[in-house]
Amino acid sequence: MDKSALGKRGDPVTMYVERGKIREFARAIKETNPVYFDEEYARRTVGGIPAPPTFLMTIAFWNDGRGIDLGLDWRRTLHGEQEFEYFAPIYAGDVLTAQGKVEKMYEKTGSRGGRMQFAVLATEFRNQRGELVAIARSTLIETGEVVRDREGAR
């Protein structure tokens, strides 16, 4: 892991929040709340069709590989944690601009993989009015060696 990446920002990525994609996402996660499927009901009750809480993970489909290079060995890298912090609702029709930043880097000693390095990536999402609507934080973990299962296989 390249510790000089701390504080670096990625290029901004534009994400269109589409009604059909919200519907597909809601069905994929077995959501049954009509706010995700019935436009009139959603307008009356919550002001429009909202994006489900973890919908921001679909940013991966909008980002064409312009992320921040952390110098990770992907054979030894795990997705450790995901967190979302919301400041305003996100609705179908919104156009979000996402920009990632390396927020933290630190190390810990693991029980099976030796020394582990952690990187927390914080991605800010701003709507078409420039308002901060959410921050998504992903924690990546690079183990000291390739992680083995309990039988010793890689």
Side-chain angles (χ1 to χ4, degrees), residues 68-81:
I68 304 165
D69 183 8
L70 296 172
L72 295 169
D73 178 345
W74 290 103
R75 297 170 301 163
R76 299 183 289 127
T77 302
L78 310 166
H79 182 205
E81 184 175 353

Side-chain angles (χ1 to χ4, degrees), residues 54-75:
T54 57
F55 184 79
L56 294 178
M57 290 304 291
T58 64
I59 188 67
F61 297 111
W62 295 95
N63 186 347
D64 54 5
R66 293 176 288 155
I68 304 165
D69 183 8
L70 296 172
L72 295 169
D73 178 345
W74 290 103
R75 297 170 301 163

Side-chain angles (χ1 to χ4, degrees), residues 93-142:
D94 280 349
V95 179
L96 304 179
T97 300
Q99 187 172 29
K101 173 185 169 187
V102 182
E103 188 174 75
K104 288 185 202 169
M105 297 177 101
Y106 56 95
E107 293 184 6
K108 286 185 178 178
T109 301
S111 61
R112 290 189 297 156
R115 200 85 185 136
M116 299 184 301
Q117 298 184 80
F118 293 74
V120 178
L121 306 177
T123 302
E124 291 184 357
F125 291 83
R126 294 186 181 275
N127 64 18
Q128 61 276 12
R129 293 178 295 281
E131 300 163 340
L132 179 65
V133 293
I135 298 174
R137 288 186 177 82
S138 298
T139 302
L140 299 175
I141 306 167
E142 186 179 61

